[in-house]
Amino acid sequence: MILYGMIDSGNCYKPRLLMAKLGLAFTTIEVSSHTGETRKADFVAKNPNAMVPLLELADGRRLAESNAILLYLAEGTRFLPAERYERGLAYQWLFFEQYSHEPYIAVRKALLTFPERARDATPERLAVTLERGNKALGVMNKHLENNAFFAGGALSVADIALYAYTHTAEQGGFQLDAYPAVADWLGRVEADPGHVPMEWLG
């Protein structure tokens, strides 16, 4: 398999982390949106949405969208709950991550750390992303006060998806010490066998 992605993208880290835990062999190819590589014709031919990550299977078929890739890779493994309701919870938190978490926590970090995004870092945008990112962290913290993980009693794709941008949230100005249950959960995710850091490329 080939994974097209960016080393500094949480969305691209998600499949790398899961593949590491599953012991899957893959090749990484860096395709950066910072330099416009994702918009070049050869990559757009692979993914018309011009975004990473993109997983290319051994038979040449391709799959885009980080959480779709997670679900594909997790099929039949410990990372996708077998019990119907717990699997539904995993899907719930995957949607939460993309709609209520990533647009604020990941985007605020990007606004503050990527030079090409600096012009978009208006006081209003920063205020909105901080407020809504903190709301997402609060929702997570409330759940984790009574649950070790997000979908059942074991680590799943839901945890991998939420971990990717939460563990670097302080780079976006979020204070994780205000969310002790989230901080404890980060430690549990990192203690799970096969964990690799964001910089790991396989």
Side-chain angles (χ1 to χ4, degrees):
M1 293 186 290
I2 299 172
L3 182 67
Y4 299 87
M6 296 166 52
I7 187 65
D8 54 2
S9 162
N11 279 327
C12 297
Y13 175 42
K14 296 175 195 175
R16 288 200 309 274
L17 177 54
L18 181 54
M19 286 191 281
K21 290 180 174 294
L22 292 171
L24 298 176
F26 66 99
T27 299
T28 55
I29 296 180
E30 184 80 1
V31 183
S32 177
S33 64
H34 304 316
T35 59
E37 289 178 314
T38 56
R39 297 182 295 278
K40 290 182 178 178
D42 59 341
F43 185 75
V44 173
K46 295 180 174 68
N47 181 12
N49 201 27
M51 296 176 69
V52 288
L54 177 69
L55 182 67
E56 186 171 289
L57 306 179
D59 61 9
R61 291 180 297 170
R62 301 184 185 98
L63 190 61
E65 301 297 334
S66 61
N67 289 349
I69 295 171
L70 287 182
L71 289 171
Y72 171 81
L73 294 170
E75 188 75 28
T77 77
R78 69 182 177 100
F79 297 100
L80 190 60
E83 197 276 324
R84 186 177 183 182
Y85 177 71
E86 291 183 354
R87 195 163 61 253
L89 285 177
Y91 298 153
Q92 170 191 298
W93 287 108
L94 289 176
F95 285 115
F96 170 86
E97 188 269 339
Q98 284 291 280
Y99 286 103
S100 300
H101 181 280
E102 191 269 357
Y104 309 112
I105 292 177
V107 168
R108 196 169 201 277
K109 175 190 170 187
L111 292 171
L112 293 173
T113 61
F114 296 155
E116 69 271 18
R117 298 293 300 275
R119 66 182 179 277
D120 300 322
T122 63
E124 295 78 13
R125 187 94 185 271
L126 291 174
V128 167
T129 51
L130 183 64
E131 176 190 358
R132 296 184 182 175
N134 276 315
K135 179 182 177 182
L137 290 168
V139 170
M140 293 169 62
N141 198 75
K142 184 172 180 61
H143 174 82
L144 291 166
E145 286 175 346
N146 298 303
N147 300 275
F149 297 102
F150 281 99
L155 187 138
S156 73
V157 289
D159 300 282
I160 289 175
L162 285 163
Y163 175 83
Y165 282 113
T166 303
H167 87 288
T168 60
E170 290 183 338
Q171 295 176 28
F174 296 97
Q175 303 300 315
L176 292 181
D177 57 2
Y179 306 99
V182 171
D184 290 345
W185 163 78
L186 290 174
R188 289 193 292 275
V189 174
E190 290 160 7
D192 184 79
H195 187 82
V196 292
M198 193 166 178
E199 298 77 18
W200 183 83
L201 289 175

